[in-house]
């Protein structure tokens, strides 16, 4: 099979049909007809085998994840995803692998209205890079910068599941729900594209809430206090891990691809209504304050947490 057959079989006609793609896969470049009077948002993420996903990951998951992690960034910017390009480096032509990878990518793309418009295919170590462009109404974009003292901090979904799932995969044990949460993250596209007018700042949680909320606070030049009991944990996570371990995974685990948002007090009701209309669970976990840095409380008292460390809950037993 030639490189051209491979592209035709697995990468032409992937994802949603969009009338704004005038020319997609097959020419030297894609030709697009972007929406008038909107700004474009551009994001890119790379996954390297054994660095960002274990060798045992199913190809379908690799295809799904590499798109999903990009869509999560688009959502965090308050934008609507539209077009994706894929750079694929594979060690050899494994048809089953390519078919499953393409299926995983396709499922995620179709679900979120995204079309694969082009890419590049080379032989090399297994590395996948995706670039996504989205669009957003002028002034409706959301940045990490913009949170103000008094804003409420919300997160979507549950935290820590993916990190526990990755751990389980590496050890070859664990609950399938947790492993699925790592393999098939669910980017919060529906909320992202509608939240712009209601939130003051947002970030997607890829490296753990502690670190990512830290970036938002730094960019906004504010601080925050988070109530540890409020961290949203799945039933599976809290019934399989001790409370301090579950909180550690939720704060420092990574790979969640949930959104963390600052919401001005006056928008709280509308924001919660928007989340319910997206059938999305959100949890208020704390609030923005003036004093820089991220602080935590547990049982109503200040609780020191080193969000970079590894056993920061060791004193909490
Ligand atoms: P060129 O040599 O002109 O760069 P290629 O042979 O690399 O062209 O690609 C031919 C067409 O196939 C282009 O439209 C390109 O965008 C597309 N393409 C190549 N690899 C991929 C891929 N992995 N996914 C999607 N489209 C791809
Ligand atoms: Mg060319």
């Amino acid at each position: 099979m030639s490189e051209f057959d491979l592209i035709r079989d697995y990468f032409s006609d992937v994802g949603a049909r969009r009338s704004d793609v005038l020319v997609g896969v097959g020419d030297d470049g894609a030709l697009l007809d972007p929406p008038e009077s909107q700004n474009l948002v551009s994001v890119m993420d790379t996954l390297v085998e054994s660095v960002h996903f274990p060798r045992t990951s199913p190809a379908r998951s690799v295809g799904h994840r590499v798109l999903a992690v990009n869509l999560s960034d688009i959502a965090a910017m308050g934008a609507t995803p539209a077009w994706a390009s894929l750079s694929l480096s594979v060690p050899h032509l494994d048809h089953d692998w390519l078919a499953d990878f393409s299926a995983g990518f396709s499922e995620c793309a179709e679900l979120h209205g995204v079309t694969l418009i082009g890419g590049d295919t080379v032989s090399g170590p297994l590395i996948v890079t995706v670039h996504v462009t989205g669009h957003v109404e002028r002034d409706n974009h959301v940045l990490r910068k913009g949170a103000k003292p008094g804003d409420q901090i919300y997160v979507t979904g549950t935290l820590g599941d993916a990190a526990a799932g990755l751990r389980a995969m590496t050890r070859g044990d664990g609950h399938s729900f947790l492993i699925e949460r790592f393999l098939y993250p669910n980017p919060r596209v529906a909320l992202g594209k509608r939240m712009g007018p209601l939130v003051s700042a947002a970030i997607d949680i890829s490296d753990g809430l502690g670190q990512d909320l830290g970036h938002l606070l730094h960019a906004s030049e504010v601080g925050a206090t988070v109530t540890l009991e409020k961290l949203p944990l799945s039933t599976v996570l809290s019934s399989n891990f001790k409370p301090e371990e579950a909180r550690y995974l939720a704060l420092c685990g990574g790979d969640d691809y949930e959104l963390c948002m600052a919401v001005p007090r006056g928008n709280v009701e509308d924001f919660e209504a928007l989340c319910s209309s997206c059938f999305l669970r959100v949890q208020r976990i704390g609030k923005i304050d003036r004093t820089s840095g991220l602080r935590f409380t547990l049982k109503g008292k200040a609780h020191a947490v080193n969000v970079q460390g590894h056993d920061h809950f060791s004193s909490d037993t």
Side-chain angles (χ1 to χ4, degrees), residues 130-150:
V130 163
H131 172 244
V132 174
T133 305
H135 50 85
V136 59
E137 209 82 50
R138 293 216 168 107
D139 301 325
N140 267 358
H141 60 267
V142 180
L143 303 176
R144 295 177 179 188
K145 178 173 99 172
K148 295 278 181 303

Side-chain angles (χ1 to χ4, degrees), residues 104-139:
F105 191 102
S106 222
E107 283 158 17
C108 186
E110 263 171 47
L111 185 64
H112 297 293
V114 171
T115 304
L116 181 62
I117 56 164
D120 198 17
T121 308
V122 299
S123 102
L126 181 53
I127 301 176
V128 291
T129 300
V130 163
H131 172 244
V132 174
T133 305
H135 50 85
V136 59
E137 209 82 50
R138 293 216 168 107
D139 301 325

Side-chain angles (χ1 to χ4, degrees), residues 150-307:
D151 289 356
Q152 303 292 313
I153 303 169
Y154 280 86
V155 295
T156 59
T158 57
L159 300 177
D161 301 325
L166 176 59
R167 224 193 237 189
M169 277 181 79
T170 320
R171 289 183 190 162
D173 61 18
H175 201 287
S176 61
F177 166 83
L178 300 173
I179 294 177
E180 291 280 302
R181 289 275 286 154
F182 173 80
L183 293 176
Y184 300 98
N186 196 348
R188 303 310 185 180
V189 172
L191 175 63
K193 65 186 181 195
R194 292 166 68 193
M195 71 184 182
L198 297 176
V199 311
S200 57
I203 189 166
D204 80 312
I205 307 173
S206 49
D207 297 328
L209 173 71
Q211 233 186 79
D212 291 321
L213 176 55
H215 294 316
L216 183 153
L217 299 176
H218 185 78
S220 296
E221 299 180 51
V222 292
T225 307
V226 164
T227 308
L228 289 172
E229 291 95 330
K230 293 259 175 83
L231 294 177
L233 306 177
S234 66
T235 324
V236 176
L237 193 77
S238 32
S239 50
N240 283 278
F241 291 85
K242 286 191 255 166
E244 64 272 21
E245 245 184 313
R247 281 201 296 270
Y248 169 72
L249 288 163
L251 271 182
C252 309
D255 294 313
D256 291 312
Y257 300 105
E258 296 293 348
L259 294 177
C260 173
M261 294 133 304
V263 181
R265 272 186 186 284
N267 293 349
V268 155
E269 256 182 49
D270 287 350
F271 175 76
E272 291 191 0
L274 169 62
C275 295
S276 342
S277 77
C278 299
F279 303 102
L280 187 55
R281 169 181 171 170
V282 284
Q283 172 75 44
R284 197 189 66 83
I285 58 163
K287 97 178 193 323
I288 301 287
D289 41 48
R290 233 167 265 287
T291 322
S292 70
L294 179 53
R295 289 161 293 281
F296 298 93
T297 64
L298 186 67
K299 295 179 187 140
K301 287 192 297 200
H303 188 90
V305 175
N306 169 14
V307 292

